């Protein structure tokens, strides 16, 4: 079951109940307003979720029970407030409801159909265990389109050098000057298609063009290091975590392969495509504004594309445009991106149509999931409405600044250069060599495992000392030009820092802090307004909150 389907395990909603809460409240209901209720099971699951999220230290006291119940129930109260204001009837809210339905149904179709029979084998687990204990280094030639990458590959086969083509492919100076080098990486750090290809290659080998989520790449593997003495015991110790991780990777590949199959198999009506593109490219602002009159013009009463027995018509495109986010619409920049947009929304429409054929939309947990997701959206609209009524005067801002001066300061900062390597032994050896005069920048370029550091030679700029956590005092005590000893960052990754510069902590002036002061005060006022609104709405709609039943519950973790 997907994320949306699983919501129902935490939240049980009574759908279709009477808005009148006065007399009929089920025995398992702790709180109810306008037919939206928090049940005993809902509360128990929410408590357990909080218990594990807070490090298993939460106790079921009267105050914690009430806080968790309020946290769950107040979402419904604010959603009712949004409905009182008829915010749910705005065009944007209608579009959002449609988008939520489509999002849930596509996710459930993926879960219940596409990956229903997906399995993780012992060989899969062993392969990824080796990956986690390996570090690769690779270069690549990148292209935006299949045509462009195929041209690069043909030129490679005709004898042109990989480095020369990389210089042509990249604008970034480091990538151009270093043959497309992306540095060291292990599993889960790059696109899954890139990773799978790289781990299947021998050092020195050059791949055929592959498609990634970002575009197309030709990969050259330049180094591979696998930790020696990997034992069966270690593998078995990590089997549980590996299984969940590998399943996620296989699901990601299944999702991508399903979409790629759709993309490669669709048949466009070229004349319709260009007529639509002509309309959109000459009226782009009206598209972004979702001008109803303009969107109507895009319904040409014909099909845009076909996939097997599925027809994607211009009226379906019109519907998808209305429910697409501004970010999605902004991806349309030319014919190529317009084609990608149409394929994307047609694919979503196809998944929804298949889900409807299977009756997934009629499943109780799916209906509840859609309703729950929409109520959270309405709560967001309600909060936006409250925030729009808040205005901080200059006098209020200055008074708040004076009262909370301890909140408004510039913390001490240090400018550092970072070298990240795997293994304590390797880190200690490099620290000794750097302390003896080895060039730090050279070591970063040759050995860092953080790809982004290659582009800046490891220079992170000024960062707050507090960002170093438990090591803050140790790092801040080192003089400019000095080095930290190797610091364990994660599992087997160690960082060595060179201190390049320092800035002392200081109090911010009112003008410097003004934007932050405004944000602090806005949050404080908004929280108070929310609390007041919740009480008003509860009273108006005769909300039921049974604290006696709540405190009588026996909660078993």
């Amino acid at each position: 079951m997907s994320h949306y389907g699983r919501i129902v395990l935490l939240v049980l909603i009574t759908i279709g109940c009477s808005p009148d809460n006065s007399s009929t409240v089920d025995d398992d209901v702790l709180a109810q307003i306008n037919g939206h209720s928090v049940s005993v099971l809902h509360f128990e699951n929410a408590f357990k979720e909080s218990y594990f999220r807070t490090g298993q230290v939460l106790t079921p006291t009267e105050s914690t029970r009430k806080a968790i119940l309020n946290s769950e129930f107040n979402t419904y109260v604010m959603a009712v407030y949004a409905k009182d204001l008829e915010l749910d009837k705005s065009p944007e809210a209608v579009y959002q409801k449609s988008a939520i339905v489509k999002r849930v149904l596509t996710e459930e179709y993926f879960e219940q159909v596409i990956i229903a029979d997906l399995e993780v084998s012992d060989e899969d687990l062993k392969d990824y265990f080796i990956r986690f204990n390996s570090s690769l280094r690779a270069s690549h030639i990148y292209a935006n389109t299949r045509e462009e990458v195929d041209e690069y590959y043909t030129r490679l086969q005709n004898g042109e050098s990989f480095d020369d083509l990389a210089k042509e492919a990249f604008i970034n100076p480091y990538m151009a000057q270093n043959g497309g080098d992306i540095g060291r990486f292990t599993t889960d750090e790059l696109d899954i298609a890139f990773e799978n290809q790289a781990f299947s290659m021998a050092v020195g080998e050059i791949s055929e063009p592959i498609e990634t989520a970002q575009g197309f790449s030709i990969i050259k593997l330049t180094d591979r290091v696998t930790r020696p003495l990997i034992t069966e015991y270690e593998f078995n110790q990590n089997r549980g975590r590996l299984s969940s991780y590998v399943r996620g990777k296989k699901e990601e590949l299944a999702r991508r392969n399903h979409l790629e199959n759709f993309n490669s198999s669709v048949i466009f009506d070229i004349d319709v495509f260009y007529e639509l593109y002509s309309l959109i490219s000459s009226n782009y602002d009206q598209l972004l504004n979702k001008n109803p009159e303009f969107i109507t013009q895009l319904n040409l009463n014909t099909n845009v594309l076909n996939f097997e027995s599925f027809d994607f018509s211009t009226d379906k495109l019109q519907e998808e445009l209305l429910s697409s986010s501004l970010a999605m619409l902004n991806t349309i920049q030319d014919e190529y991106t317009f084609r990608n947009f149409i394929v994307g929304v047609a694919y979503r429409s196809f998944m929804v149509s298949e889900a409807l054929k299977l009756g997934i939309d009629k499943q109780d947990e799916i209906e509840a999931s859609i309703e729950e997701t929409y109520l959270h959206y309405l709560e967001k609209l309600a909060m936006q409405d409250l925030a729009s009524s808040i205005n901080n005067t200059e006098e209020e801002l200055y008074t708040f600044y004076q009262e909370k001066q301890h909140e408004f300061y510039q913390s001490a900062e240090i400018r550092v250069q970072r070298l990240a390597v795997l293994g304590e032994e390797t880190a200690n050896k490099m620290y000794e060599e750097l302390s003896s005069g080895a060039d730090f920048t050279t070591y970063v370029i040759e050995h860092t495992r953080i790809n982004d550091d290659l582009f800046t030679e490891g220079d992170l700029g000024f960062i707050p000392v507090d960002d170093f956590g438990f090591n803050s005092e140790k790092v801040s005590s080192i003089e400019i030009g000095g080095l930290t000893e190797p610091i364990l960052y994660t599992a087997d990754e160690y960082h060595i820092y060179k201190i390049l510069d320092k800035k002392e902590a200081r109090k911010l002036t009112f003008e410097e802090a003004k934007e932050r002061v405004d944000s602090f005060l806005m949050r404080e006022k908004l929280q108070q307004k929310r609390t007041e609104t919740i009480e008003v709405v509860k009273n108006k709609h005769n909300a039921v909150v049974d604290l006696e039943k709540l405190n009588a519950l026996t909660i078993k973790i």
Side-chain angles (χ1 to χ4, degrees):
M1 185 179 292
S2 75
H3 164 73
Y4 299 102
R6 283 191 293 267
I7 289 176
V8 75
L9 298 179
L10 295 176
V11 181
L12 299 180
I13 301 174
T14 307
I15 300 175
C17 292
S18 166
D20 181 8
N21 300 296
S22 57
S23 58
T24 56
V25 177
D26 293 341
D27 289 341
D28 72 336
V29 169
L30 297 174
Q32 180 172 294
I33 185 169
N34 278 31
H36 306 303
S37 60
V38 177
S39 69
V40 170
L41 180 59
H42 174 178
F43 171 79
E44 288 175 342
N45 283 324
F47 186 93
K48 291 172 186 177
E49 186 181 23
S50 296
Y51 174 79
F52 289 109
R53 191 174 59 243
T54 56
Q56 303 180 31
V57 295
L58 190 67
T59 55
T61 63
E62 185 175 330
S63 61
T64 57
R65 289 168 186 252
K66 186 176 179 180
I68 290 171
L69 177 61
N70 283 340
S71 175
E72 301 299 313
F73 185 53
N74 288 344
T75 290
Y76 305 154
V77 177
M78 292 302 291
V80 169
Y81 171 70
K83 289 181 179 180
D84 284 348
L85 298 178
E86 298 190 341
L87 299 179
D88 58 321
K89 296 181 180 178
S90 70
E92 181 61 27
V94 173
Y95 301 150
Q96 282 298 324
K97 180 66 178 286
S98 172
I100 288 167
V101 170
K102 290 171 182 174
R103 194 161 65 244
V104 173
L105 291 182
T106 54
E107 192 61 33
E108 284 304 322
Y109 180 77
F110 175 77
E111 293 281 341
Q112 297 184 30
V113 178
I114 298 174
I115 62 168
D117 299 322
L118 186 147
E119 294 181 354
V120 176
S121 68
D122 222 43
E123 289 71 26
D124 293 327
L125 296 179
K126 288 178 180 177
D127 174 52
Y128 271 92
F129 186 63
I130 295 295
R131 293 192 191 192
F132 272 114
N133 287 277
S134 300
S135 170
L136 307 187
R137 189 160 192 162
S139 300
H140 77 136
I141 297 169
Y142 173 80
N144 285 311
T145 66
R146 169 66 68 180
E147 293 75 16
E148 189 181 358
V149 79
D150 285 344
E151 182 183 340
Y152 281 131
Y153 190 64
T154 299
R155 291 168 65 185
L156 271 174
Q157 291 179 310
N158 289 337
E160 293 190 53
S161 79
F162 194 98
D163 286 4
D164 286 345
L165 291 176
K167 278 184 183 178
E168 185 179 319
F170 290 105
I171 298 173
N172 179 281
Y174 175 84
M175 299 292 284
Q177 293 165 17
N178 291 276
D181 176 40
I182 62 170
R184 297 191 175 278
F185 59 93
T186 185
T187 188
D188 206 31
E189 292 184 351
L190 298 177
D191 178 271
I192 182 63
F194 193 107
E195 176 189 320
N196 280 352
Q197 180 63 49
F199 271 96
S200 71
M201 296 167 64
V203 174
E205 185 180 351
I206 295 175
S207 75
E208 294 183 356
I210 63 160
E211 184 173 3
T212 70
Q214 293 74 38
F216 298 86
S217 288
I218 301 169
I219 304 170
K220 178 180 180 180
L221 191 68
T222 55
D223 194 19
R224 178 195 296 265
V225 177
T226 299
R227 185 169 64 86
L229 302 176
I230 301 174
T231 66
E232 192 74 19
Y233 173 77
E234 286 180 289
F235 171 69
N236 288 326
Q237 285 288 98
N238 289 278
R239 181 186 287 271
R241 284 184 297 172
L242 271 174
S243 182
S244 175
Y245 172 82
V246 174
R247 182 174 181 83
K249 286 294 183 181
K250 294 191 77 170
E251 287 180 4
E252 183 181 346
L253 276 176
R255 188 186 300 274
R256 184 175 298 183
N257 290 338
H258 193 260
L259 172 58
E260 287 176 0
N261 177 60
F262 181 88
N263 186 15
S264 62
S265 303
V266 295
I267 300 173
F268 270 87
D269 184 316
I270 299 302
D271 293 335
V272 174
F273 172 82
Y274 279 111
E275 185 174 352
L276 288 169
Y277 180 69
S278 176
L279 283 168
I280 282 175
S281 59
S282 57
N283 297 277
Y284 191 58
D285 289 343
Q286 293 187 58
L287 171 70
L288 296 182
N289 293 326
K290 296 184 180 179
N291 183 299
E293 186 177 340
F294 170 68
I295 298 295
T296 301
Q297 293 177 35
L298 300 177
N299 185 3
L300 306 178
N301 297 312
T302 186
N303 291 332
V304 187
L305 60 79
N306 305 93
F307 172 73
E308 298 176 350
S309 61
F310 171 74
D311 296 327
F312 187 66
S313 58
T314 54
D315 63 314
K316 287 179 182 175
L317 175 62
Q318 178 185 13
E319 180 185 329
E320 292 291 338
L321 286 168
L322 289 172
S323 61
S324 293
S325 67
L326 181 60
M328 283 184 64
L329 296 177
N330 269 316
T331 64
I332 302 173
Q333 299 294 328
D334 49 32
E335 291 179 16
Y336 177 76
T337 52
F338 182 50
R339 183 195 184 281
N340 287 344
F341 175 86
I342 291 182
V343 168
V345 295
Y347 178 66
R348 180 172 65 183
S349 181
F350 166 72
M351 298 268 277
V352 170
S353 71
E354 293 299 298
L356 293 174
K357 287 179 187 176
L358 295 172
I360 291 175
D361 60 314
K362 302 302 183 186
Q363 297 171 5
D364 290 344
E365 64 271 24
I366 304 309
E367 290 182 337
S369 175
I370 290 169
E371 179 71 3
E372 174 69 8
T373 306
Y374 186 57
L375 291 175
H376 277 271
Y377 168 71
L378 291 182
E379 179 192 26
K380 180 181 175 182
L381 288 187
M383 292 299 289
Q384 290 173 351
D385 178 79
L386 294 181
S388 68
S389 66
I390 299 172
N391 181 44
N392 298 324
T393 67
E394 191 81 5
E395 183 179 355
E396 285 178 314
L397 291 175
Y398 188 73
T399 301
F400 192 77
Y401 167 75
Q402 293 284 61
E403 291 173 352
K404 308 272 189 181
Q405 285 193 35
H406 61 282
E407 299 277 4
F408 307 115
Y409 67 94
Q410 180 70 54
S411 60
E413 295 181 326
I414 51 176
R415 183 182 168 202
V416 295
Q417 192 175 10
R418 173 176 62 190
L419 170 63
V421 296
L422 287 177
E424 184 176 12
E425 185 178 342
T426 300
N428 287 332
K429 180 175 181 293
M430 291 189 180
Y431 174 70
E432 290 178 8
E433 293 169 354
L434 291 166
S435 298
S436 299
D439 182 65
F440 199 95
T441 298
T442 300
Y443 270 50
V444 170
I445 298 300
E446 292 180 353
H447 302 290
T448 186
R449 68 172 314 278
I450 298 178
N451 301 333
D452 289 347
D453 287 0
L454 293 170
F455 307 137
T456 62
E457 298 180 339
D459 188 344
L460 304 184
F462 279 100
I463 57 178
V465 172
D466 294 343
D467 284 4
F468 288 92
F470 292 119
N471 295 295
S472 296
E473 190 173 340
K474 182 194 302 183
V475 173
S476 61
S477 66
I478 297 173
E479 297 298 321
I480 293 175
L483 303 174
T484 67
E485 294 181 353
I487 295 173
L488 180 62
Y489 182 67
T490 59
D492 201 32
E493 181 175 316
Y494 288 80
H495 291 180
I496 301 170
Y497 297 96
K498 181 177 181 180
I499 312 304
L500 303 179
D501 203 354
K502 294 184 175 185
K503 290 180 181 178
E504 298 301 321
R506 66 180 181 84
K507 173 186 167 184
L508 292 174
T509 66
F510 174 64
E511 288 303 319
E512 289 174 324
K514 195 172 181 179
E515 188 174 331
R516 197 188 302 179
V517 174
D518 187 55
S519 178
F520 269 59
L521 185 55
M522 173 67 78
R523 286 199 300 272
E524 195 172 277
K525 284 184 175 181
L526 183 58
Q527 186 55 46
Q528 163 124 23
K529 211 168 184 69
R530 182 178 188 268
T531 301
E532 293 169 352
T533 301
I534 285 169
E535 290 310 308
V536 170
V537 176
K538 282 181 179 178
N539 290 331
K540 177 181 177 182
H541 292 275
N542 301 316
V544 174
V545 180
D546 195 333
L547 296 180
E548 186 176 340
K549 188 187 298 181
L550 173 70
N551 291 323
L553 288 178
T554 300
I555 301 173
K556 296 180 181 179
I557 303 298

